[in-house]
Amino acid sequence: DAGVTQSPTHLIKTRGQQVTLRCSPKSGHDTVSWYQQALGQGPQFIFQYYEEEERQRGNFPDRFSGHQFPNYSSELNVNALLLGDSALYLCASSPRQAATQYFGPGTRLLVL
Amino acid sequence: EDQVTQSPEALRLQEGESSSLNCSYTVSGLRGLFWYRQDPGKGPEFLFTLYSAGEEKEKERLKATLTKKESFLHITAPKPEDSATYLCADLTTDSWGKLQFGAGTQVVVTP
């Protein structure tokens, strides 16, 4: 049973560019959440998607947007990249009724 | 605002030296308290979910407990492979799915 998968594993971009990160949830899960983790800190919640709609959003600017597809996979898009966007981006999935979220391996984004 | 605080920030243990990590939370409506283990450069690995005060869960050398405002992760007779950052997070009753994480406790177990 495959767990949560994310792609790419690493990415290098320059300031002002745009990036798209992808996530496939664990089998049987229909809810996807995205988190940003800076070095030495705990993950910070960006948003959660269920039934292809954004259900809850954390304290992140509109430059961060997302999408969920009918097969429950999800994308995170970040526009006008800043140096401070450099972080590990984590995707987590869960069945809607359950509280526990399971994380993928993350995408390491470096903005130069 | 919901805050989760973990202590200590770092812990260095000898192999076999038991210890406890602390996680305190401020929210009153708790839907769940979660413990994860994270190795460097990897995603958090789920360990435990606790739902109500008095609940305890165990897995190998790890035991998690929950009170009304704190949770503890006890590591009994740790081994070097238990070295990792341990994260706790809470989920409130008025939240769709926002996990509020602490900053983590970095544990190093030396042989």
Side-chain angles (χ1 to χ4, degrees), chain B:
Chain B
E1 185 180 318
D2 180 20
Q3 283 192 329
V4 176
T5 304
Q6 292 189 245
S7 62
E9 291 182 7
L11 193 59
R12 192 174 185 89
L13 301 171
Q14 292 275 352
E15 186 172 0
E17 178 189 1
S18 301
S19 189
S20 294
L21 314 182
N22 177 266
C23 170
S24 64
Y25 58 95
T26 60
V27 69
S28 54
L30 183 71
R31 186 172 154 201
L33 189 291
F34 308 87
W35 283 98
Y36 291 88
R37 169 198 168 118
Q38 187 173 29
D39 293 311
K42 304 280 182 68
E45 175 190 346
F46 171 71
L47 293 173
F48 304 109
T49 302
L50 302 166
Y51 295 101
S52 56
E55 191 174 0
E56 298 182 350
K57 288 194 176 171
E58 282 187 75
K59 178 181 178 180
E60 295 180 357
R61 296 176 293 282
L62 301 177
K63 178 180 176 180
T65 62
L66 183 65
T67 70
K68 287 204 169 176
K69 286 299 175 188
E70 291 179 302
S71 179
F72 295 91
L73 184 67
H74 308 278
I75 310 178
T76 302
K79 298 183 177 182
E81 52 262 43
D82 295 321
S83 297
T85 295
Y86 290 87
L87 296 163
C88 76
D90 70 12
L91 180 65
T92 64
T93 51
D94 61 355
S95 171
W96 272 83
K98 174 187 174 183
L99 293 180
Q100 181 71 40
F101 279 88
T105 294
Q106 185 178 28
V107 175
V108 174
V109 183
T110 57

Side-chain angles (χ1 to χ4, degrees), chain A residues 2-89:
Chain A
V4 179
T5 60
Q6 292 186 243
S7 63
T9 55
H10 295 86
L11 206 50
I12 300 175
K13 292 285 188 178
T14 56
R15 280 180 299 175
Q17 286 190 310
Q18 178 263 344
V19 69
T20 297
L21 310 182
R22 295 175 175 83
C23 171
S24 290
K26 192 174 165 66
S27 177
H29 291 187
D30 56 6
T31 302
V32 173
S33 302
W34 287 92
Y35 293 80
Q36 180 195 67
Q37 186 176 24
L39 208 58
Q41 297 182 21
Q44 299 292 315
F45 178 79
I46 304 175
F47 40 54
Q48 183 181 76
Y49 277 84
Y50 171 66
E51 290 186 331
E52 301 180 50
E53 288 191 19
E54 182 183 294
R55 298 293 176 170
Q56 187 174 9
R57 188 178 183 93
N59 189 25
F60 279 80
D62 291 344
R63 298 187 297 109
F64 289 76
S65 63
H67 188 78
Q68 185 179 35
F69 299 93
N71 67 352
Y72 309 123
S73 67
S74 177
E75 288 182 349
L76 165 65
N77 300 291
V78 187
N79 294 323
L81 285 167
L82 304 173
L83 296 179
D85 294 332
S86 295
L88 181 67
Y89 287 85

